Amino acid sequence: MRPFTYERAASAQAAAQAAVAHPNAKFIAGGTNLLDLMKLQIETPAHLIDVNHLGLDRIEKTPDGGLRIGAHVRNTDLAADRVVRKDYAVLSRALVSGASGQLRNKATTAGNLLQRTRCPYFYDTSKPCNKRKPGSGCAAIGGFNRDLAIMGVSDACIATHPSDMAVAMRLLDARVETVDPHGVTRAIPIAEFHRLPGDTPHIETVLQPGELITAVTLPKPLGGRHVYRKVRDRASYAFANVSVAAVIGDGFQHFAFGGLAHKPWRVEAAEGLSSADAIAEAVLSGARTTPQNAFKTILTRRTLGAVLREARA
């Protein structure tokens, strides 16, 4: 691990200001992803800004009947929250399916949204990776890519986003609240928060330099039946081959998918269709597969069918 300097921020705006004042600075809260990447020298920040003590660890009702989740609420606490379990059960189930209990005790809401891909070539510094080193190439294309993306891919990157929580947040139409170094705040719809790779896979979100996530807000509850189904190579501590988040009620159905793309994948136009085959056809339209990951199209159809049967039972 390379040497770095450290400071503890006194406020959200001060943290954002410190991030632009120090070249190559990073925010740190739980650090469950960042510290691993630092040990591998994939992330090499010269300065760390500790944002753990800013009071961003509360879950509160909003005036419109929704929920505001502080950026530093731990995954364990969010999954166990009484209101989340009752009104946003798909989120609780997605969180519990991710990582391990020890990691969920440390991992934060904002950090979960900002996870880096688990593409093996991103982690192997001996191989080219446009996400790790822009312009170097993508070893995954033509390499081992069984677990990688089939939707929204480009000639520069076929990595997937690893978060389970983000899939449920996309389903629930969350908004990501931020503050910048000038104290200006904004609320970013999660549909616009993560970027597809295009020619710049190293730019993963729409966050600007120094911009700090302060909270994630959810609209008022949808009701209905909540299901999160994750298919993976082993029963725990593994990332999704395919995951499906669903909320189905009288006269509505919403779906979001993990393991398919560089961001949580949702096709709203498919949600007015009735059969699993028709929904899957719309969701997978334009899929770009390899011989190794083509099975994901079949797995998506079967997982969606199982979710529909469970939700409609």
Side-chain angles (χ1 to χ4, degrees), residues 23-218:
N24 194 20
K26 289 284 184 180
F27 301 120
I28 186 166
T32 57
N33 190 201
L34 177 60
L35 290 176
D36 284 343
L37 294 173
M38 289 174 65
K39 291 172 185 176
L40 295 170
Q41 295 193 23
I42 295 168
E43 292 276 14
T44 56
H47 187 68
L48 290 183
I49 304 160
D50 188 339
V51 292
N52 276 298
H53 306 279
L54 305 181
L56 304 177
D57 57 354
R58 292 187 289 272
I59 303 172
E60 304 166 308
K61 289 286 188 71
T62 60
D64 63 356
L67 204 64
R68 187 174 190 272
I69 302 161
H72 303 147
V73 172
R74 307 293 166 170
N75 287 178
T76 294
D77 296 330
L78 183 57
D81 183 81
R82 180 182 58 82
V83 175
V84 173
R85 292 178 65 189
K86 175 179 178 290
D87 294 333
Y88 305 95
V90 67
L91 175 57
S92 181
R93 291 169 184 170
L95 284 161
V96 170
S97 75
S100 65
Q102 294 94 328
L103 285 172
R104 292 195 299 269
N105 288 343
K106 291 293 293 181
T108 63
T109 300
N112 200 308
L113 290 177
L114 296 173
Q115 285 185 79
R116 308 298 304 275
T117 185
R118 265 52 177 197
C119 172
Y121 297 102
F122 174 71
Y123 275 80
D124 185 348
T125 56
S126 70
K127 300 294 191 298
C129 173
N130 288 319
K131 185 178 288 294
R132 189 181 66 248
K133 185 179 179 181
S136 63
C138 176
I141 298 175
F144 178 74
N145 49 47
R146 176 181 179 273
D147 296 327
L148 301 183
I150 63 172
M151 304 302 303
V153 300
S154 73
D155 291 335
C157 183
I158 58 172
T160 53
H161 193 276
S163 171
D164 293 287
M165 186 198 79
V167 178
M169 292 288 196
R170 177 67 182 91
L171 177 74
L172 296 169
D173 291 317
R175 298 176 75 86
V176 182
E177 296 184 354
T178 68
V179 64
D180 73 7
H182 305 289
V184 177
T185 62
R186 63 170 174 158
I188 307 165
I190 196 166
E192 302 169 9
F193 182 75
H194 296 103
R195 293 165 46 110
L196 290 176
D199 296 327
T200 55
H202 60 291
I203 305 174
E204 298 175 341
T205 72
V206 297
L207 292 175
Q208 298 300 309
E211 195 169 10
L212 175 70
I213 298 174
T214 55
V216 176
T217 58
L218 302 177

Side-chain angles (χ1 to χ4, degrees), residues 149-153 265 281-290 296-297:
I150 63 172
M151 304 302 303
V153 300
W265 196 250
E281 191 70 28
V283 167
L284 295 171
S285 177
R288 179 174 155 184
T289 63
T290 72
K296 287 195 175 190
T297 60

